[in-house]
Amino acid sequence: MQNFPSAPNLYLRNATTSVPVASVVGGGSVVNGMAYMRGSRADYDAWETLGNPGWGWEGLLPYFKKSSTFLPPSPDTAKEWNMTYDPAMWDHGPLHVTISDFQYPDLQLFFEAWRNAGVEGVEKKRDIAAGNEPGVYWIPSTVDRRDQTRSTARKAYYDPVFAERKNLRLLTLHTTVEILFDKKRGELVAKGVKIASRITKETSEVYAREEVILAAGAVHTPHLLQVSGLGPKAVLEAAHIRVKKDIPGIGANLQDHATVTQNFNISHQAFPNPNTISTNATYNASVWEEYWNHKTGPIAGGTPSLGVALSLSQMISIITPSITLHDIWAGLLAQTALYYLPPIYTASPPLFKGFLKQRDIIAASYINPNVTIAQFPFTGSGFAYSSFLKPVSRGTITLNSTNPGGPPVVQYNTMQNSLDRRVLIVQVQFAREFWKRQQLAHFHPVEINPGAQYHTEAEILESLTYATASYRGPGNLQPGLAHLSGTAAMMPEELGGVVDTELKVYGVEGLRIVDASIMPMIVSGGLQATVYAVAEKASDLIKGEGKRAKNRDRRNGEEFGERCVGQGNCWRCCP
């Protein structure tokens, strides 16, 4: 892992937090929490509303299915825990996904508590992969049931083919430090990349025959583009980098899932429970032995399997907030938006116009009972957290003007918008009401974080931000879950977009981006399922482009010095 500090966050008492970036073959899939969660239907339909035809739920569903295979739990487990899933939502793709046969016994009480939480519409859904609307779900994990090991991008996509693919080479222990460009008929053309050895620091250049495909992630993609001369003009000039193309949207629009952590001291837990591994040395040794010998038990289980997705109206319905659902909707639309945005939005009218369209979508989602706004995973312990899925605040990623080649400056801007603060407080208030459920009385829960003594909205907010700044009680608020996205957004250029619907960078020939940075708005769940679907759709786009290029070359082979007949005579289409 690469971990470097974020910029101080003004709205979290100038706290910094570690920015996690996976530095391993397979990327985040090797180190993430393994939860496989597709976003909601509304998330992807919003992408389409922002000017991206073909990228709505119906357009992406075939690629969700194409990328994944669901191996169900055993029939006995499914019957015991009433686990359901929809086979129509899955295909036979490279990535293996499952729900574990191992579940902690106390989960049954938590499940019943959610079923009886007094929230209209909270009922167990058939499959979280079918559109992720509000409800209680079993959450699959990226665990391969065939050998009970983590299913990763490397294991699913690379390892099965690398031995036979003579035209595929994976170069490790190197870093891409610059994208190389030429000018062709007045157009900027990506021709390759400059790479540096992490050991010797020596550099070399690699050239592309057709196009450069950038998949460096939501942190390093905008950074690499800026180092290479693409990005906000003022940022590049401050770092004395020659501006090859002024693209204000590169590094803007940063989003993540701000997360409230709450803790309850509970007693009378069943054996085993999620704390047993860390508190009982004998049990700890036995579960590892069970895993290595039989591939069963909690180690084989992956991540927690139950979670609830809630709309804003569902949360507000069982608390007594000082603000109504209508007030939140109207208040957001009435804001002077530029007051709550980074300076780049003032400097770029198209970028600001794009944000206003995003804001309209977010405001509508707040009053829609069928759109998920927050998620509450639960493990069967007193550790409780909830993720805010529809932030209005926008962060930035920019190169460091005094050290352009070093880590970028990541400014989360968590809670810059006052409406985000309101929703996060609602999440805390809702969680407190949930822990009062009769089904949980058996545990005698006592809130220890942020602490029941914090009653008013101002007190709750104070406790959360104080803990973030000091990393000690009474509460905690993290700016994200390593779900950074949106920093090279797929939107029309007139809305501040960076790539078009074929993921090609505007105004640059031969450069395409395929990673979480292209998501115009963050989805309601972990990102890995969506990244796999984006990559599968991108592969079809790239293959289609390759076929078109081959046909062009066969028709116009004389451009390359001799007529191409598709039999090896043209270096471009028949290498």
Side-chain angles (χ1 to χ4, degrees):
M1 289 287 291
Q2 293 179 345
N3 288 286
F4 54 89
S6 70
N9 192 323
L10 176 63
Y11 311 97
L12 298 179
R13 295 175 175 262
N14 286 319
T16 63
T17 189
S18 178
V19 180
V21 180
S23 181
V24 62
V25 177
S29 68
V30 179
V31 297
N32 63 19
M34 293 188 284
Y36 180 92
M37 304 174 70
R38 297 173 187 173
S40 70
R41 177 183 294 268
D43 296 334
Y44 307 107
D45 289 348
W47 291 10
E48 201 158 37
T49 299
L50 287 169
N52 300 303
W55 287 89
W57 170 255
E58 294 299 332
L60 275 173
L61 180 57
Y63 296 103
F64 281 117
K65 295 165 68 174
K66 181 181 179 182
S67 64
S68 56
T69 294
F70 180 75
L71 296 179
S74 69
D76 289 344
T77 299
K79 181 178 179 180
E80 178 185 357
W81 290 91
N82 192 24
M83 293 176 176
T84 58
Y85 47 89
D86 185 355
M89 291 294 107
W90 304 88
D91 207 333
H92 297 88
L95 185 73
H96 280 76
V97 182
T98 192
I99 299 175
S100 175
D101 287 333
F102 178 89
Q103 303 295 334
Y104 289 109
D106 280 339
L107 274 182
Q108 196 62 252
L109 290 174
F110 281 83
F111 181 52
E112 290 303 318
W114 279 111
R115 295 273 310 263
N116 294 276
V119 182
E120 182 180 356
V122 173
E123 56 190 36
K124 188 167 68 66
K125 303 298 183 183
R126 183 167 174 80
D127 196 329
I128 196 172
N132 190 16
E133 294 178 349
V136 178
Y137 294 93
W138 289 100
I139 302 174
S141 294
T142 47
V143 173
D144 188 341
R145 288 184 74 89
R146 298 172 300 179
D147 58 7
Q148 291 299 146
T149 61
R150 179 190 286 260
S151 187
T152 68
R154 172 176 178 167
K155 182 180 179 181
Y157 283 89
Y158 177 74
D159 288 346
V161 302
F162 83 96
E164 285 106 33
R165 292 288 299 275
K166 303 305 181 185
N167 61 344
L168 174 63
R169 183 182 177 191
L170 177 65
L171 189 62
T172 58
L173 297 177
H174 285 73
T175 300
T176 301
V177 295
E178 184 182 353
I179 302 169
L180 304 174
F181 297 97
D182 267 340
K183 279 288 185 76
K184 180 179 179 182
R185 294 187 290 273
E187 295 292 326
L188 193 64
V189 181
K191 68 176 183 179
V193 295
K194 179 184 289 187
I195 60 175
S197 167
R198 296 186 184 181
I199 299 174
T200 67
K201 310 304 180 184
E202 293 181 355
T203 64
S204 54
E205 296 181 353
V206 180
Y207 295 97
R209 181 166 287 172
E210 290 291 343
E211 62 180 349
V212 174
I213 301 170
L214 180 57
V219 173
H220 285 312
T221 281
H223 181 229
L224 183 56
L225 290 169
Q226 291 174 14
V227 169
S228 305
L230 309 183
K233 181 179 179 181
V235 170
L236 304 185
E237 289 180 339
H240 305 290
I241 290 176
R242 183 166 68 88
V243 180
K244 298 184 177 75
K245 185 168 180 59
D246 179 16
I247 308 179
I250 292 177
N253 196 48
L254 173 63
Q255 298 156 65
D256 203 334
H257 292 139
T259 300
V260 174
T261 298
Q262 293 174 260
N263 282 286
F264 293 81
N265 186 33
I266 62 176
S267 53
H268 307 300
Q269 291 179 271
F271 181 91
N273 61 68
N275 299 321
T276 309
I277 292 178
S278 60
T279 60
N280 186 317
T282 301
Y283 182 72
N284 184 303
S286 70
V287 296
W288 281 104
E289 182 178 358
E290 179 182 5
Y291 175 72
W292 291 121
N293 291 337
H294 306 289
K295 299 297 184 182
T296 57
I299 303 300
T303 51
S305 297
L306 274 173
V308 65
L310 296 176
S311 67
L312 188 55
S313 62
Q314 287 172 316
M315 289 188 287
I316 287 180
S317 68
I318 68 166
I319 64 175
T320 309
S322 61
I323 189 169
T324 68
L325 194 65
H326 182 271
D327 289 338
I328 292 177
W329 169 77
L332 177 56
L333 294 179
Q335 284 181 344
T336 302
L338 284 174
Y339 179 78
Y340 298 100
L341 289 168
I344 188 64
Y345 288 84
T346 301
S348 172
L351 197 60
F352 180 56
K353 183 179 178 182
F355 170 78
L356 291 180
K357 286 186 70 73
Q358 293 184 20
R359 188 181 69 168
D360 290 343
I361 292 170
I362 295 172
S365 73
Y366 284 169
I367 58 174
N368 188 335
N370 296 316
V371 175
T372 298
I373 301 298
Q375 285 180 339
F376 297 77
F378 49 105
T379 64
S381 73
F383 176 70
Y385 68 95
S386 60
S387 299
F388 177 32
L389 306 179
K390 300 292 182 188
V392 191
S393 300
R394 293 291 182 265
T396 58
I397 294 181
T398 55
L399 53 79
N400 187 330
S401 61
T402 61
N403 182 21
V409 178
V410 178
Q411 176 52 267
Y412 283 95
N413 283 334
T414 311
M415 296 201 304
Q416 180 176 23
N417 194 289
S418 58
L419 264 298
D420 287 354
R421 302 170 211 164
R422 288 282 191 177
V423 177
L424 286 163
I425 290 168
V426 167
Q427 290 177 204
V428 174
Q429 294 171 325
F430 175 86
R432 286 175 169 174
E433 290 300 317
F434 168 73
W435 279 88
K436 295 176 183 177
R437 296 297 95 199
Q438 180 182 353
Q439 291 77 15
L440 300 182
H442 163 81
F443 297 119
H444 301 289
V446 177
E447 182 182 340
I448 58 174
N449 189 0
Q453 68 271 29
Y454 300 99
H455 294 289
T456 68
E457 292 187 357
E459 289 171 344
I460 293 171
L461 188 61
E462 177 77 6
S463 69
L464 293 174
T465 56
Y466 171 78
T468 301
S470 61
Y471 291 100
R472 59 181 184 272
N476 204 359
L477 172 64
Q478 292 298 325
L481 282 175
H483 296 168
L484 294 92
S485 55
T487 49
M490 176 178 58
M491 289 194 297
E493 197 170 11
E494 60 268 23
L495 297 180
V498 176
V499 300
D500 63 17
T501 55
E502 292 192 335
L503 307 183
K504 297 179 179 180
V505 176
Y506 288 115
V508 182
E509 187 178 328
L511 181 59
R512 202 185 306 244
I513 300 175
V514 185
D515 58 37
S517 68
I518 66 95
M519 301 179 187
M521 297 179 70
I522 195 168
V523 300
S524 53
L527 302 188
Q528 73 163 330
T530 302
V531 171
Y532 280 115
V534 166
E536 286 283 7
K537 186 175 176 72
S539 71
D540 274 0
L541 294 171
I542 293 165
K543 287 185 291 185
E545 183 68 23
K547 290 178 182 178
R548 290 191 291 271
K550 181 173 287 190
N551 289 335
R552 286 196 303 270
D553 290 340
R554 286 178 175 175
R555 289 193 303 268
N556 304 298
E558 290 180 340
E559 179 183 343
F560 303 101
E562 55 185 309
R563 183 170 298 280
C564 175
V565 293
Q567 296 178 356
N569 296 330
C570 169
W571 67 268
R572 186 170 185 176
C573 68
C574 305

